[in-house]
Every structure is written in structure tokens, then in C-alpha cells.
Amino acid sequence: MRIFFGLELDPDARRALSDWRDRHGFADGRAVPAVNFHLTLAFIGAVDNRKLDTLCRAVDDWDPDTGFGEVVLDQVGYWPKPGIYWAGPSQPAPALAALARKLQHLGGQVGARLEKKPFAPHVTLYRSCTAPPPAPAAPPTVTLAYDHFTLFESHMGRLGVSYRAVEHWPLGR
Ligand code: 2AM
């Protein structure tokens, strides 16, 4: 199975981001269904059941010092090579970056390739854009509050990709 760690968007944040996209976020690409919105922390890739179990136990054994918190998705950006139009925080998110680094490291123990690019927190809005999207009339202002992180399975079906939460771990006490 293909897996990654990420943050879920709570229903309010999901709706707010989707509403903002309907009003202001136009792009010539494939719109990500709102139900699929998430913020990737660490992409792990393909693992078998044994590696999945090893990884989950390694996360269980680790006591994260990252507490719950929030990031404000208040800017958009475009990565031309993958054609990704995204929303993300304009302010640095050091706690999330530290969490992402640790999860990458744990993923490395079951064969995940180490990500060389610096962590860029974002929620993908459109994929496969063929041209840079026009600047929006107003930026999003969506608060993404988090108190846990999630291991997702990414599944490619006949109707496209879908994500299933495999396990959650709480953040903060
Ligand atoms: P995204 O975070 O830009 O949307 C599952 O595939 C998730 O992991 C996607 O959300 C995807 O992009 C992210 N991801 C990060 N690195 C990836 C990679 N090398 N291959 C596939 N997906 C990757």
C-alpha cells in the first residue's frame, strides 16, 4: 500500500477552503475534491504490511514534543513542474516542520526516500495545471487547527485517488 503522514482538515476548514476556491481560486487543472484536502507531513511511499506495522510501532514508541496548534492558510502558490496550485501559511510553521522531519526520519527506517526539499506546508487545491493560475482577488484565510496527525493510505480507484485514515496519533497533552 501507498502511505503518507499528514494533517486532516476539520469540516469547518474543509468547507472554508472549498468555498474560497469556488469564489476565488480558479485554475486550469484538476480540482482536488474537498473530501481529499489534507496537509502532507511526510510522504512514505509503498510499504507491505510488515513495514506498515514496524512504522506504526515506531511512531507509538516515540513521544512527540509537538503540541496541538494551528496554522492559517493565508496565501496561495503555484509549482509549475507538477502543475500544483496550493494554499498554505505565509508564516513559518516550525512545529510542523519538526514533526515532518521526525516522521520522515521514521519513514526512512522502513525504506522511505529522504525528502531533500525543505518542508513546504501546503494543501493542494488543483493538480496538473497547464498554466499559472490567475492571482486571486482575495487570499484565503482558513485556520487549520490540529490536535493529532494521521497515517493515510492513498488508493487509486476507478473514480480517482482517495485517502483512508489508517491510524491517528494525538499531539499535545
Ligand atoms: P501533495 O502533498 O502536494 O498533495 C499522497 O500522494 C500525498 O503525498 C499527496 O498529497 C502528495 O502531494 C504527497 N507527496 C509528496 N511527495 C510525493 C511523492 N514523491 N509522490 C507522491 N505523492 C507525494
Side-chain angles (χ1 to χ4, degrees):
M1 63 171 76
R2 203 174 145 91
I3 58 168
F4 63 101
F5 291 103
L7 298 181
E8 300 178 305
L9 271 66
D10 62 73
D12 286 348
R14 197 178 291 285
R15 200 171 313 114
L17 191 58
S18 179
D19 286 351
W20 175 85
R21 181 174 63 179
D22 289 347
R23 283 162 172 240
H24 299 297
F26 308 113
D28 185 9
R30 265 186 301 119
V32 173
V35 68
N36 280 355
F37 284 162
H38 65 274
L39 188 153
T40 301
L41 292 166
F43 180 72
I44 307 298
V47 293
D48 58 20
N49 282 334
R50 195 175 54 82
K51 283 186 172 169
L52 174 68
D53 199 50
T54 303
L55 179 60
C56 289
R57 298 302 72 84
V59 179
D60 287 345
D61 290 344
W62 164 59
D63 188 17
D65 47 16
T66 307
F68 56 82
E70 57 182 46
V71 285
V72 183
L73 310 175
D74 59 353
Q75 68 172 1
V76 292
Y78 177 60
W79 293 326
K81 216 162 162 202
I84 283 182
Y85 184 36
W86 51 267
S90 62
Q91 297 304 307
L96 285 187
L99 180 60
R101 209 165 32 243
K102 178 67 187 183
L103 294 173
Q104 275 260 318
H105 174 76
L106 293 176
Q109 295 173 3
V110 295
R113 243 187 317 144
L114 211 62
E115 179 64 66
K116 290 193 205 81
K117 283 179 264 158
F119 175 62
H122 66 281
V123 177
T124 298
L125 300 170
Y126 289 87
R127 297 186 190 283
S128 311
C129 296
T130 52
T141 46
V142 175
T143 300
L144 192 175
Y146 56 85
D147 61 7
H148 66 277
F149 64 92
T150 300
L151 181 68
F152 292 97
E153 178 187 5
S154 161
H155 179 256
M156 183 51 86
R158 273 192 309 134
L159 299 176
V161 73
S162 61
Y163 304 119
R164 180 178 72 88
V166 177
E167 202 158 329
H168 304 289
W169 287 267
L171 289 169
R173 275 155 274 214

